[in-house]
Amino acid sequence: MDSLTSTVDPKLLELLVCPLTQTHLTYDRQKNELVSEKAKLAYPVRDGVAIMLVSEARRLGD
């Protein structure tokens, strides 16, 4: 599956939280990332799998 066209299941998105802040995430379809506004981090989604590791996250604004 192309990482740019993969989507996140809405039911899964309801369950996922930021591992750092334990707050809900929003899905940025254009960048294919799960965004934690509170932590100012974006977690990548690769091949339809959310990579929920702080060490893999991109700082917002980068």
Side-chain angles (χ1 to χ4, degrees):
M1 177 183 304
D2 182 346
S3 64
L4 294 177
T5 60
S6 66
T7 59
V8 176
D9 182 343
K11 291 185 182 204
L12 179 61
L13 188 55
E14 290 176 17
L15 299 173
L16 290 175
V17 294
C18 174
L20 189 62
T21 63
Q22 303 300 307
T23 57
H24 288 283
L25 302 165
T26 56
Y27 180 56
D28 182 336
R29 185 181 305 262
Q30 186 177 23
K31 293 183 179 175
N32 205 32
E33 299 173 323
L34 294 174
V35 177
S36 170
E37 293 294 333
K38 187 171 184 180
K40 305 285 189 232
L41 294 173
Y43 299 94
V45 177
R46 297 183 189 134
D47 297 323
V49 177
I51 310 301
M52 303 300 296
L53 300 171
V54 174
S55 62
E56 292 287 321
R58 175 181 69 81
R59 288 188 182 270
L60 294 180
D62 286 353

